[in-house]
Amino acid sequence: MADLDEQKRMQETARADRARELLNNDMLKDAFAAVEREILTAKEIVHAPDEVQKLHMMFVCNRKVQNILRGYIETGKLAGIQLEQKRKFKLFGVN
């Protein structure tokens, strides 16, 4: 059981590293910003309520993807702390 927990935490830290790489990637940052700009520009032109609602949902989805990646990073940080604590406990013979 402990090995499965450790394995899961290692996967979470690896996922955090990948998410961090994505959020720090200039091309992806530019893409997120471009999507946001296009939505905000379109919102100035569109007046039909259903179209405004669609644009709002697109904006929310764009932000949601970014927040999910940030969540992976936070989960990975916690997993890394847990792995480090476990390593220190093993060092002192505590299970």
Side-chain angles (χ1 to χ4, degrees), residues 6-22:
E6 190 171 346
Q7 201 172 35
K8 182 181 178 199
R9 288 184 183 115
M10 290 172 65
Q11 290 171 342
E12 289 172 344
T13 58
R15 180 186 289 195
D17 291 341
R18 291 191 306 270
R20 192 175 296 104
E21 288 172 9
L22 288 171

Side-chain angles (χ1 to χ4, degrees), residues 9 12-13 15-17 19-20 23 66-82:
R9 288 184 183 115
E12 289 172 344
T13 58
R15 180 186 289 195
D17 291 341
R20 192 175 296 104
L23 285 176
Q66 295 172 63
N67 288 334
I68 287 171
L69 291 171
R70 288 185 190 103
Y72 290 156
I73 292 169
E74 292 304 313
T75 300
K77 284 180 187 177
L78 293 174
I81 290 168
Q82 291 170 339

